[in-house]
Amino acid sequence: MAVRTQFAKMNGLGNEIIVADMRGRADHVAPGAAIALNGDPATKFDQIMAIHAPRTQGTEAYIEIINSDGTQAQACGNGMRCVVQALAAETGRREFTFETIAGILTAHEHADGMISVDMGKPRFGWQDIPLAEAFHDTRQIELQIGPIDAPVLHSPSVASMGNPHAIFWVNQDVWTYDLERFGPLLENHPIFPERSNISIAHVTSRNAMTLRTWERGAGLTRACGSAACAAAVSGARTGRTERTVTVTVPGGPLVIEWLDNDHVMMTGPAEWEFSGSFDPQSGQWQRDETAPSQGAA
Ligand SMILES: N[C@@H](CCC[C@H](N)C(=O)O)C(=O)O
């Protein structure tokens, strides 16, 4: 059996996150271990944020992001806030620079405990999402679901926040749509060769919208930070909103700012639940019996 790794079970507005401390070791969390952890109600998660030793000078760590189906993701906004809270508790520092498969990003914890993550620049080219065919205007692409003459959802905006997002705009309560039914069909639609995160957005003012997301590789979630960013920039890009938007997801509000330098800043909370250790090969785990404490290590 492999040496166990320490983890913290956390959440970012209800997006279920496992922060795993893989520093000082060469192995990775195996897809089978992720699937096993997700199969246990106590450790059920949306993403594992595996903290590895830094690969690039000037960064704190390399973060590997693993969906609950064992696949890798390029971005996870809520997970990054959990990583920041765990490392801030461990080190006493508030400013961090991380590397992910999608590049370098910075984040900081505010004095009130809220955490801002610079999610980088959005990309809108059809090859960047990616889409399987050329669309020169990705503010609205041809895609619909439901009866051909009365589609339930149609004409989404698409954007990449490092990972692929499709945002379907609706004029009524986002809870009136059966996202559990449409999500998997749209996630796996042939237009998305790398699958996609699927969101439904209802703009309620120039600075606010509500959002529900079916996550690629994880399913229905209570929050998706990168989807909130993709929805905010798409809202501004299509003239529906200003560049600063409060995006209310089922777990609560996230503030998204599309800055003049084109970077997208996401601000929200993170919450520690419990700590333990698991075998990164099998996913066998146990809860720490010691007094409650926070931090990945
Ligand atoms: N929960 C995340 C996004 C997770 C990644 C996604 N499922 C994918 O495969 O792209 C967030 O908060 O951004």
Side-chain angles (χ1 to χ4, degrees), residues 15 47 67 73-79 163-164 197 215-216 223-226:
N15 202 185
Q47 276 79 43
N67 286 319
Q74 302 93 331
C76 179
N78 293 317
N163 56 349
N197 298 288
E215 279 192 7
R216 175 180 70 163
C224 179
S226 52

Side-chain angles (χ1 to χ4, degrees), residues 42-53:
T43 49
K44 192 166 173 51
F45 68 93
D46 298 311
Q47 276 79 43
I48 294 175
M49 307 296 287
I51 305 176
H52 289 271

Side-chain angles (χ1 to χ4, degrees), residues 75-78 80 104-106 117-122 161-163 225-227 229 256 263-266:
C76 179
N78 293 317
M80 287 312 306
I104 308 272
L105 61 84
T106 59
V117 180
D118 180 342
M119 298 287 285
K121 298 180 182 182
M161 288 305 309
N163 56 349
S226 52
C229 296
I256 311 295
H263 283 236
V264 183
M265 193 66 74
M266 175 205 60

